[in-house]
Amino acid sequence: MSPEIHLAQQPEADELLGRSPLAALVGMLLDQQVPMEWAFSGPYTIASRMGHDDLDAREIAARDPEAFAALLSEKPAVHRYPGSMAGRIQQLCRFLVEEYDGDAEAVWRDAATGRELLDRLQALPGFGEQKARIFLALLGKRYGVRPEGWREAAGPYGEANCYRSAADITGPESLAKVRAHKQEMKAAAKAAKSTKSTKSTKSTKSTKDARPSKSAKSAKSAETNRN
């Protein structure tokens, strides 16, 4: 039985995410610089445009890059940067073909520990540490993939009863809470950057003020010459 997923907020797209490991990985890959619903509806859009009801790593890996980029660029575009993301998806699929025989679920199927699973996820093209931790938390919270120590390996994203990421979305209400949390984090980061910039400017000004002026230097030089 497939897990009940609500990441795309569209029944057909969420149903695909629930039954397709590759769709889940691709959705996570797309989840940057666009709203989460847009990102996680991407796998369904791609599969539909390819004339299938699921994604196939081998087929995507073998596609002509320009043709695949064009497929993602059709209106409505799969992502804000469809060309760039098309390349990343193909790179991910090539890696899965080479390392896991095209079986996306093999990435986590036999992982013995959360640490091992995190290492496997971080090895995937396009998955940095944060994205890997979020996806690990998503696997544990929504897909029932819970190797020993998975919460610890996922870091703060693995905590229960929180609203930090895609891993915590169970419907519209939780989506709104996750979005509010992200906005708070962005505002805090912006404020911190502004404070740092202000301190840097003041420090530079103080240093300049402490230096003797050109006229003072000239006067001192003239006095030295007289002596």
Side-chain angles (χ1 to χ4, degrees), residues 115-126:
R115 182 69 249 183
E116 179 184 356
L117 178 51
L118 180 61
D119 289 342
R120 291 186 185 185
L121 291 171
Q122 284 189 260
L124 296 174

Side-chain angles (χ1 to χ4, degrees), residues 3 5 7 24-25 28 40 108 113-115 117-119 121-122 127-147 149-170 178:
I5 303 299
L7 295 169
L25 276 177
M28 189 73 245
F40 283 99
W108 56 83
T113 66
R115 182 69 249 183
L117 178 51
L118 180 61
D119 289 342
L121 291 171
Q122 284 189 260
F127 278 67
E129 181 179 358
Q130 183 181 43
K131 190 179 287 289
R133 290 185 186 277
I134 292 174
F135 192 74
L136 198 162
L138 178 64
L139 288 174
K141 293 180 178 182
R142 304 291 157 236
Y143 291 86
V145 178
R146 297 165 183 166
W150 72 272
R151 286 190 186 277
E152 292 77 8
Y157 301 107
E159 295 175 7
N161 303 315
C162 66
Y163 298 96
R164 288 191 174 93
S165 70
D168 305 305
I169 295 174
T170 57
V178 169

Side-chain angles (χ1 to χ4, degrees), residues 199-211:
K199 287 182 178 179
S200 178
T201 301
K202 288 182 178 179
S203 176
T204 302
K205 185 177 184 300
S206 297
T207 301
K208 288 181 178 179
D209 291 343
R211 295 173 182 168

Side-chain angles (χ1 to χ4, degrees), residues 1 12 22 24 34 45 54-55 64-65 76-77 92 94-95 114 119-120 125-126 154 157 192 200 209:
M1 183 176 178
E12 298 87 351
L22 180 55
V34 295
T45 302
D54 197 356
L55 300 179
D64 174 76
L92 171 64
R94 292 189 192 104
F95 182 87
D119 289 342
R120 291 186 185 185
Y157 301 107
S200 178
D209 291 343

Side-chain angles (χ1 to χ4, degrees), residues 30-226:
L30 290 168
D31 187 22
Q32 58 187 67
Q33 298 179 296
V34 295
M36 279 182 285
E37 312 96 293
W38 185 358
F40 283 99
S41 65
Y44 177 77
T45 302
I46 295 170
S48 297
R49 290 177 183 177
M50 293 179 71
H52 305 313
D53 63 357
D54 197 356
L55 300 179
D56 182 277
R58 290 185 180 280
E59 181 179 357
I60 291 175
R63 281 255 173 166
D64 174 76
E66 291 188 5
F68 190 64
L71 183 144
L72 268 68
S73 300
E74 291 178 23
K75 302 296 183 182
V78 169
H79 193 274
R80 181 173 292 152
Y81 306 106
S84 174
M85 295 312 298
R88 293 189 182 188
I89 292 171
Q90 286 195 294
Q91 186 180 13
L92 171 64
C93 288
R94 292 189 192 104
F95 182 87
L96 292 173
V97 170
E98 293 170 2
E99 300 296 328
Y100 295 98
D101 197 29
D103 181 5
E105 190 177 5
V107 175
W108 56 83
R109 184 185 295 119
D110 62 351
T113 66
R115 182 69 249 183
E116 179 184 356
L117 178 51
L118 180 61
D119 289 342
R120 291 186 185 185
L121 291 171
Q122 284 189 260
L124 296 174
F127 278 67
E129 181 179 358
Q130 183 181 43
K131 190 179 287 289
R133 290 185 186 277
I134 292 174
F135 192 74
L136 198 162
L138 178 64
L139 288 174
K141 293 180 178 182
R142 304 291 157 236
Y143 291 86
V145 178
R146 297 165 183 166
E148 182 180 355
W150 72 272
R151 286 190 186 277
E152 292 77 8
Y157 301 107
E159 295 175 7
N161 303 315
C162 66
Y163 298 96
R164 288 191 174 93
S165 70
D168 305 305
I169 295 174
T170 57
E173 184 178 345
S174 54
L175 172 62
K177 290 181 179 180
V178 169
R179 181 163 287 131
H181 172 78
K182 289 192 172 188
Q183 290 174 344
E184 289 175 7
M185 293 299 99
K186 287 182 179 179
K190 185 176 181 180
K193 184 177 180 180
S194 176
T195 300
K196 184 177 179 180
S197 177
T198 300
K199 287 182 178 179
S200 178
T201 301
K202 288 182 178 179
S203 176
T204 302
K205 185 177 184 300
S206 297
T207 301
K208 288 181 178 179
D209 291 343
R211 295 173 182 168
S213 65
K214 289 184 178 180
S215 58
K217 287 182 179 179
S218 298
K220 184 175 181 180
S221 177
E223 184 177 346
T224 300
N225 291 334
R226 285 198 300 273

